[in-house]
Amino acid sequence: MTNKVTVRIKDIAKMAGVSQGTVDRVLHKRGNVSSDALAKVNAVLEKIHYRPNLIARSLGKGKSVRISVLLPYSNSDPYWEEAKMGILQAQENWDHYRVAIEPFFYEHDGESSLESMAMAAINLKSDGIVIAPIYLAQAMTAFNLFQENKIPYILFNTNIVKAKPLSFIGQDLFQSGRLAGQLMSLMNCTESFDAVEFVVLHIGEEFKDSVHLIEKERGFRDYFKKNRKDNPKVISVNIDSNKKSFKKEIEKFIENPRVKGLFVTTSNSLSIVASILSTHDRDDISLIGYDILEKNLKFLKSGVINFLINQNPKRQAQQGISHMVNHLLFHKKIPANELFPLEIIIQENVDSYLSSGIH
Amino acid sequence: MTNKVTVRIKDIAKMAGVSQGTVDRVLHKRGNVSSDALAKVNAVLEKIHYRPNLIARSLGKGKSVRISVLLPYSNSDPYWEEAKMGILQAQENWDHYRVAIEPFFYEHDGESSLESMAMAAINLKSDGIVIAPIYLAQAMTAFNLFQENKIPYILFNTNIVKAKPLSFIGQDLFQSGRLAGQLMSLMNCTESFDAVEFVVLHIGEEFKDSVHLIEKERGFRDYFKKNRKDNPKVISVNIDSNKKSFKKEIEKFIENPRVKGLFVTTSNSLSIVASILSTHDRDDISLIGYDILEKNLKFLKSGVINFLINQNPKRQAQQGISHMVNHLLFHKKIPANELFPLEIIIQENVDSYLSSGIH
DNA sequence: TTGTACGCGTTATCAA
DNA sequence: TTGATAACGCGTACAA
């Protein structure tokens, strides 16, 4: 095959007739190189393909890199708990490369708001930020802070195009909604949808600022509009699961015979809806939601939940951190957009996702 | 948080009042250590949690590791072509860790049979073998050769329990068949299956030795038996797509009005079946097969193929190599079984898999 | 049985 | 503007 001669800086120096120091200065564009020496080194560099040894580099450079990760406070929300696990694993992973990873958990408002956590991360002299910006307004001011301080940032989970981040890691939420539309169609395969209603449920306390839910709904509606000749009615509602009337409101839909499907866009409260649905005799209502969470499993297995779309928060967080390390430490090019696959989970493949750990 | 003081061998030596060499000997159980020194070092090791710096280790040790990968000859088979791409990427990845990765492509028989390629890998003084053993008989003699030469081997794609490998990476093929069964049910959601026939197609030249196809069929049948009250008829056939009668045989099924679904267990010839099916007016026949291959895409998008189950040959190969590196170089524990998720691909999520590269 | 010293490829520092 | 050289943490060879 190809001859695997690893070319080192030392070799380049010899070939160019200069010292290692000079080659290093050329490679890293540090300046202070005579045009004569520059030419000689460049001549060699054009002939051979130099691939720096990243292992040696990370050993050699004494300076350590600090990455802060900002994400919603995870207590009682298993979705963000997963992301948190990803961060902890990443800490172990990158430890030896002299990378320190610091998580910051923010809440919707109050003293640990996104903004104040952003300030905290900046005060910690972070070299890079990885952030899941689920609240639009607060996030924008955070981005401004990062820009003022010239700290690069990578988004995960929720994309905000205006933010102009280094990179975004997540899913195409519009497409995710479309997928839910197709899955809904699969579940009602022979029926015409003209007399049918589907309900999109956004469940949570602070949905007003949440970009991601809206995209999912748009995609869901788009699917029926573009891909079907019949025309189901799509209703969408924002409900707070803590409200007393919550159960009643859900039951209102479940008891409506025209309703044939529920699409819960928020990952956290799906199991509550499932548990309400399971007490009614409505096998003909399909339930679609998000994420392989412990509390969703039994409803998936019993058939109350028909489909889960997996968002893989853990791997999203890890990938965001990976990219930041590659940027900061290895000066690698990183993709502006990394869209994760929309994973479909049903009874017969859920175990294969559980056992495979990382996925 | 925790104080991130990285403990080095040097530090342990100082704490124990011995030299670095002694600590090294204790850590690696090389012997030649007085019980006195051993006790002192162990005392320190129990107090602190030493995590060796793998980066420094791989830089320091001059010896390079050679891993051979054995897989079917990939020409004209995009499935194995994918696996091959994974190997090439792995070569780049591990290059700096002084790992040489050598692929060997075998055919069913002849001079580049699995056995002769296994011999070739052994003659190359491989430190470890990663192998996709799709032909049972030949594989068994290969495993014997590896054992005689004390070369560790990892299986991917096809599991052979008797082989007692270091590790297996792949999918649960029985469960994969069950999944196909559930997907088939989804496509025919209101119908009773009592008068319905499903056809399992094993297409290829040398299916006789192929373990994996049989498992998929078993799972497929199992699903209907265990999960449904009605009782579809499941027919299975082995056909060679090069035979003249191939098209006729397929059409015989397609023209049978009782047939409502085709399940193609082999990844390679699915598109041929799809193309035949597309010329008949049988929208009511569901087609399920394997893998996101270029030639399958248009049939998936046009709805001729309803579901693909993705096996991810590329990542399977990479993971096998990763595990072998971890075993050989870093002496890490590796899982005896790593089952990949059974990924369901349909129209609305296929693009998300294509754009995400690795998956 | 023990300790010392060198090398891996890179970065960074300092003297020339 | 240059070149020489000491780290970085580990493995290993060699000397004591």
Side-chain angles (χ1 to χ4, degrees), chain A residues 19 22 25 32 34 59-60 98:
Chain A
S19 79
T22 305
R25 282 183 280 268
N32 289 335
S34 66
L59 233 203
R98 294 197 160 73

Side-chain angles (χ1 to χ4, degrees), chain B residues 192-320:
Chain B
S192 159
F193 283 180
D194 281 322
V196 159
E197 292 180 17
F198 294 120
V199 185
V200 181
L201 296 166
H202 308 299
I203 304 174
E205 299 173 39
E206 314 94 352
F207 41 74
K208 6 175 168 80
D209 281 331
S210 296
V211 216
H212 45 295
L213 309 185
I214 298 159
E215 281 296 287
K216 287 174 181 172
E217 181 183 332
R218 264 189 59 227
F220 189 68
R221 291 177 183 276
D222 185 75
Y223 180 80
F224 296 113
K225 200 182 300 169
K226 298 249 180 72
N227 292 62
R228 296 194 58 112
K229 291 177 206 117
D230 50 14
N231 190 21
K233 187 172 171 190
V234 176
I235 306 156
S236 76
V237 274
N238 300 325
I239 332 182
D240 184 341
S241 62
N242 294 322
K243 260 174 57 185
K244 284 184 212 141
S245 61
F246 180 75
K247 194 179 172 188
K248 277 237 176 72
E249 292 201 53
I250 301 290
E251 284 183 327
K252 194 184 68 194
F253 294 117
I254 294 180
E255 282 157 10
N256 177 349
R258 295 161 67 98
V259 169
K260 294 292 182 186
L262 307 175
F263 173 36
V264 182
T265 59
T266 37
S267 133
N268 198 17
S269 313
L270 173 62
S271 60
I272 308 177
V273 177
S275 111
I276 298 173
L277 177 57
S278 68
T279 62
H280 290 68
D281 190 28
R282 288 298 303 272
D283 284 352
D284 58 321
I285 294 185
S286 307
L287 180 55
I288 297 177
Y290 283 88
D291 299 315
I292 308 180
L293 306 178
E294 180 64 31
K295 55 188 183 180
N296 292 339
L297 289 182
K298 67 171 178 184
F299 293 113
L300 182 70
K301 297 218 167 155
S302 68
V304 179
I305 296 174
N306 300 95
F307 290 99
L308 290 171
I309 298 173
N310 194 27
Q311 306 187 101
N312 226 329
K314 184 171 158 192
R315 244 166 42 71
Q316 283 195 29
Q318 289 181 326
Q319 194 73 350

Side-chain angles (χ1 to χ4, degrees), chain A residues 257-282:
Chain A
R258 295 162 65 99
V259 169
K260 294 291 182 186
L262 307 175
F263 174 35
V264 182
T265 60
T266 38
S267 132
N268 197 16
S269 313
L270 173 64
S271 60
I272 308 177
V273 177
S275 110
I276 299 174
L277 177 58
S278 68
T279 61
H280 291 68
D281 191 27
R282 287 298 303 272

Side-chain angles (χ1 to χ4, degrees), chain A residues 10 31 75 96 132 138 145 147 181 184 191 250 257 306 349-350:
Chain A
K10 190 192 284 188
N75 204 358
H96 288 146
Q138 289 94 324
L145 285 172
Q147 282 166 7
M184 212 50 110
E191 216 158 337
I250 300 291
N306 300 95
N349 76 341
V350 63

Side-chain angles (χ1 to χ4, degrees), chain B residues 178-190:
Chain B
R178 279 189 55 93
L179 176 58
Q182 186 181 7
L183 296 175
M184 212 50 110
S185 292
L186 278 175
M187 290 306 298
N188 301 273
C189 61
T190 48

Side-chain angles (χ1 to χ4, degrees), chain A residues 175 178 189 315 348 359, chain B residues 175 178 189 315 348 359:
Chain A
Q175 191 59 38
R178 279 189 54 92
C189 62
R315 242 165 43 71
E348 293 299 326
H359 302 275
Chain B
Q175 191 59 38
R178 279 189 55 93
C189 61
R315 244 166 42 71
E348 293 299 327
H359 301 275

